[in-house]
Each structure stands twice: as structure tokens, then as C-alpha cells.
Amino acid sequence: MQKENHTEKRIGIFDSGVGGLTILKPMVSLMPNEKFYYFGDTKNVPYGTKSPKEIAKIGVEAYKKLRKLGIKMLVIGCNTTSIYGIKAIKEIADVPIIELIHPGVLAVKECGCKNILLLATEATINSGSIQSLLKKEIDDVKVEGIATQDMVITVENGNSNNEEGKKVVHRYLDMVTIRPDSVLLSCTHFPALSKFIADYFNNKGIDVNIISPAEKCAEIAKEKLKEIGKLTEFGNLSIEYFCSGDLEKFTKSGNILLDDDLIIKNVKKL
Ligand code: DGL
């Protein structure tokens, strides 16, 4: 029997759209010899307003599409699916699955923050999962969770770096009642708006740590691949991009989030 060559198999990452690119970036920095598939499920964006059942179903479909292409690991580059889809995906998956909820909470814990402003999709906030985990893991923690769902479409429409992006951030942050020491971005679209978020608080004289699960998630993925003997030590980076909706829109909005070396040139339909 021929031995499987794991270095040819890829790490598959998916999200409802361009948000998961903020997870891809640290993955590439930490594992520059790997090959990746990135799938933006833009036909189904936004996930955050859908029912738990729908989110699970869409997550399973995304896994199946990537599995068919050939992956050695699945990274759920979406917090909403990390909550509502992980069980259903795990039931059928034959590769390791990496999620975002625990890495996010771990990152907050490590920074020693106690007054947390949690920004996420409607579905994520309504689940209460991250709020509960933060309270379980960190003594005397205060959490204010706000569903900032419109920020997803703002980023998806390519407005993360203009006045429109700033406006939507201000509209939501004007609702905050706590004085946060950190902002946990539990939606992968939101790091694209982090400058506006930091500036908003800085202008009020409030210094905040902006935290996302991305770096921790990449560390966990690398550790897992090492553990199972599938980390590629020598090889050339390769990323293939796919999306299920408008190819041009995905390319344009996605490239705002990516540095020149990772830009999307040839996205394919999946
Ligand atoms: N980026 C996703 C997340 O981290 C989903 C955003 C959406 O489609 O509503 O939750």
C-alpha cells in the first residue's frame, strides 16, 4: 500500500465570507511550509442571523466540500459555527477540527483582563457560550456582550477601511455601558475594524487590549499537527481560495484584509 503524503494534503479553513482570512494570516505566519484551502461561503453570508439548525447544516456542507478537495485538518474560521456547528461536523469528520471559542477565552485569560467587552454575531451573543466560558475561566470577570451583526456585512461589502466602517463601529460602541480593559472580537470579520474600535476608546481616554482568537488558534492548530505527525517542516506555501458566491466581490473585499504576499488572485467557485 502506498504511504500517504501528508505534506501534499492541505489545511482547510472556512467562514461565511472574508472574515476567516483573519485566521488564515497567523496560520500562514506560524506554518509557512503548509498548503491551505480557504473557503468563503459567501452564498450563505451572514451566518449570524440564521437558526442553530441552519448554521450546523451549512457547517457540515462546508466541511464536506473541503474534505472532498483533500484536507488533513479543518479550521472553523468562524465563531458562530464553532458554537453551533462543531458537534454536527465532529460527528462526520475524519480529520482534526480546530475551533475558535476556547482560543479566544484563553487569550483573554493570558492578558489578565477583567472587564471584557465581547463583540460577536447575534447568534454567538444569544448562545451565551463565550460569556459562560469567560466566567468559568476567569475569577471576578465582568462581561458585556453586544451583537454587532451589521459589522459583518460592512466588512463583507469592502467597507472595513472607510467612513462606513467607522460609522458602524461608532453606532454600536455608543451602546457600551462598562469601561472595558479589553475587547474580545469573537467574530472573525471584526479584526478588520479593530483600528476604528481602538480609536473609539482611545479618544475617550480608555486604553483597551483588542483580542482575537486568531493567534492562539494558529498555535493550537500547529501543536495538533505536530502531535499527529502531520506538520510540514519543509515545503512551499500555497493557498487556494474558493467561495460560493460572487467571485469578484470576494476578491475585492478579501484583499483589503490581506497583505500583498497573500492576496487573492484566482478565486474559484465551490
Ligand atoms: N465570521 C463569522 C464569525 O466569526 C460569521 C459572521 C456572519 O456570517 O454572521 O462568527
Side-chain angles (χ1 to χ4, degrees):
M1 206 173 73
Q2 212 183 355
K3 213 175 154 220
E4 182 187 48
N5 183 1
H6 74 260
T7 61
E8 289 307 315
K9 284 214 171 170
R10 292 182 178 239
I11 299 171
I13 305 179
F14 82 94
D15 177 43
S16 60
V18 298
L21 296 171
T22 64
I23 302 296
L24 174 71
K25 282 205 281 189
M27 291 271 169
V28 169
S29 309
L30 219 57
M31 295 180 276
N33 305 311
E34 291 293 349
K35 294 180 169 47
F36 296 85
Y37 287 129
Y38 182 88
F39 173 46
D41 189 14
T42 47
K43 184 177 61 124
N44 291 310
V45 72
Y47 285 178
T49 53
K50 294 185 168 46
S51 71
K53 220 169 137 190
E54 272 178 293
I55 298 163
K57 188 168 166 268
I58 290 168
V60 166
E61 277 164 19
Y63 163 73
K64 284 184 180 166
K65 284 182 176 186
L66 287 166
R67 182 68 187 83
K68 219 168 152 189
L69 293 172
I71 51 170
K72 59 181 174 182
M73 166 178 274
L74 178 77
V75 177
I76 304 178
C78 168
N79 292 264
T80 312
T81 314
S82 294
I83 294 169
Y84 294 102
I86 193 157
K87 190 165 167 274
I89 297 172
K90 274 194 171 161
E91 268 164 22
I92 58 156
D94 59 0
V95 295
I97 312 287
I98 304 293
E99 52 83 44
L100 298 177
I101 305 309
H102 290 84
V105 170
L106 212 63
V108 174
K109 195 173 176 175
E110 280 180 9
C111 89
C113 302
K114 296 279 187 188
N115 292 313
I116 323 296
L117 173 63
L118 168 68
L119 305 182
T121 63
E122 274 170 28
T124 296
I125 293 295
N126 290 342
S127 78
S129 306
I130 300 179
Q131 296 92 318
S132 306
L133 196 60
L134 283 166
K135 285 178 184 152
K136 190 172 152 227
E137 291 293 327
I138 305 169
D139 291 337
D140 306 321
V141 76
K142 279 197 194 71
V143 190
E144 178 169 14
I146 302 186
T148 54
Q149 185 66 50
D150 291 350
M151 282 171 25
V152 173
I153 291 303
T154 302
V155 175
E156 213 48 53
N157 286 344
N159 290 319
S160 53
N161 58 354
N162 62 28
E163 269 307 298
E164 183 105 10
K166 185 176 172 182
K167 246 206 299 211
V168 74
V169 163
H170 280 237
R171 172 158 65 82
Y172 283 121
L173 296 186
D174 282 345
M175 298 175 188
V176 175
T177 62
I178 60 164
R179 186 184 171 91
D181 57 15
S182 62
V183 185
L184 175 57
L185 304 178
S186 290
C187 169
T188 53
H189 283 75
F190 299 170
L193 296 163
S194 57
K195 193 189 164 319
F196 293 134
I197 297 168
D199 285 353
Y200 178 92
F201 288 110
N202 284 341
N203 289 338
K204 288 187 174 329
I206 303 173
D207 205 14
V208 287
N209 288 297
I210 307 279
I211 301 172
S212 110
E215 273 77 21
K216 269 267 156 292
C217 169
E219 283 168 26
I220 292 168
K222 185 176 180 178
E223 269 315 301
K224 186 70 198 174
L225 285 177
K226 228 192 241 170
E227 186 191 310
I228 61 172
K230 292 193 174 179
L231 183 73
T232 309
E233 311 269 9
F234 306 99
N236 293 326
L237 171 71
S238 161
I239 307 168
E240 282 188 35
Y241 293 102
F242 297 89
C243 84
S244 56
D246 186 321
L247 303 181
E248 210 175 301
K249 182 177 176 189
F250 176 82
T251 304
K252 208 164 156 245
S253 300
N255 281 341
I256 297 173
L257 313 192
L258 294 170
D259 300 328
D260 287 352
D261 53 336
L262 301 187
I263 58 162
I264 306 161
K265 284 184 198 131
N266 182 24
V267 59
K268 297 186 200 96
K269 197 94 166 195
L270 190 68

